[in-house]
Amino acid sequence: PKRDVVPARRHNNRMTKFIKFWLPVIICMGFIFYVSSIPASKIPPLFPFQDIIFHLFVYSILSLFFARALKNTYGGLTPSKIILLTLIFGVFYGMTDEIHQASVPYRNASGFDVLIDGIGSFAGSLIYPVRKKFSCGGRLSNGVNRWLR
């Protein structure tokens, strides 16, 4: 009977890890896809350089989630491997997003946007591995610290 319990726990643990660490990555990717599907004529100009700032911000967040998921599901990866894999992922997703945007009315694919996505991905990939070094006294607030584990 005890042997039957172990595979169930292992499956439950994998599902919990997936939900906790990979679901935020998927949700963020879905958000980017959704926003990329909006025709340019329906996006109001709110402030200067909003497109660049949006790309930097969302790809930083996506990469933070991705680096966090890698660290917590593939424990043997070094910080430099996590940064490299996260950068590759972010640039690749940025390229596929630009290809998708090319099919949206009044939108186009832009190599410059992919570059900005890459910069945002690099920034986001650095946040997770170095977060402890730059937090107040080695600790962030309990809520943020708990969420970033």
Side-chain angles (χ1 to χ4, degrees):
K2 289 184 180 180
R3 289 184 181 173
D4 294 338
V5 174
V6 173
R9 281 187 195 152
R10 212 175 287 140
H11 174 71
N12 189 26
N13 189 31
R14 273 189 261 147
M15 183 57 79
T16 302
K17 276 189 169 188
F18 173 80
I19 290 169
K20 183 175 181 179
F21 299 116
W22 289 104
L23 192 58
V25 174
I26 294 167
I27 290 170
C28 193
M29 291 170 69
F31 175 75
I32 292 169
F33 185 86
Y34 170 75
V35 172
S36 294
S37 300
I38 300 171
S41 61
K42 299 202 184 247
I43 299 173
L46 302 174
F47 50 86
F49 307 109
Q50 73 184 28
D51 183 50
I52 294 170
I53 292 168
F54 177 77
H55 279 264
L56 283 171
F57 180 74
V58 297
Y59 277 85
S60 292
I61 298 299
L62 175 61
S63 294
L64 172 62
F65 286 147
F66 189 81
R68 176 179 169 259
L70 284 177
K71 173 75 170 108
N72 286 286
T73 56
Y74 298 98
L77 294 174
T78 63
S80 58
K81 283 184 182 177
I82 290 172
I83 291 167
L84 179 63
L85 290 171
T86 302
L87 179 60
I88 291 168
F89 166 76
V91 170
F92 179 75
Y93 191 70
M95 289 169 36
T96 61
D97 182 53
E98 291 302 316
I99 292 167
H100 163 247
Q101 263 188 25
S103 67
V104 177
Y106 308 108
R107 302 287 292 261
N108 59 355
S110 165
F112 180 74
D113 282 353
V114 174
L115 174 67
I116 299 301
D117 298 341
I119 293 168
S121 294
F122 183 65
S125 73
L126 292 175
I127 293 170
Y128 191 76
V130 301
R131 74 192 187 287
K132 289 181 182 175
K133 292 181 183 177
F134 297 103
S135 61
C136 301
R139 295 193 51 84
L140 295 169
S141 74
N142 285 339
V144 172
N145 206 18
R146 194 172 23 254
W147 179 81
L148 282 175
R149 278 191 208 135

